[in-house]
């Protein structure tokens, strides 16, 4: 659940960042996908660490 939420949040943040930098539609899409992947991976590792520590 945390991975999905952070991936969606990363996509929103990446799209916002590209729009703020005046990128075209493909730039916005690229930033959104790259940020979603990065945030999703960070959340995945955080989830793995938390599950190992708490169990």
């Amino acid at each position: 659940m945390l991975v999905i939420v952070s991936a969606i949040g990363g996509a929103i943040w990446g799209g916002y960042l590209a729009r703020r930098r005046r990128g075209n539609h493909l730039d916005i899409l690229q930033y959104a996908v790259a940020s979603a992947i990065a945030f999703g991976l960070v959340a995945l590792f955080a989830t793995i660490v938390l599950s190992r520590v708490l169990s």
Side-chain angles (χ1 to χ4, degrees), residues 3 13-15 17 20 22-23 29 31-32 34-36 38-42 44-45 52 55:
V3 176
W13 184 75
L17 185 64
R20 194 178 74 193
R22 307 228 191 264
L29 181 65
Y31 267 69
S35 296
F39 278 49
L41 281 174
V42 169
L44 177 67
F45 288 128
R52 295 238 181 221
S55 59

Side-chain angles (χ1 to χ4, degrees), residues 8-51:
I8 292 171
I12 292 170
W13 184 75
Y16 170 74
L17 185 64
R19 185 178 296 238
R20 194 178 74 193
R21 292 182 180 180
R22 307 228 191 264
N24 60 17
H25 294 293
L26 291 177
D27 291 333
I28 294 170
L29 181 65
Q30 182 180 4
Y31 267 69
V33 170
S35 296
I37 291 171
F39 278 49
L41 281 174
V42 169
L44 177 67
F45 288 128
T47 303
I48 292 171
V49 168
L50 281 175
S51 69

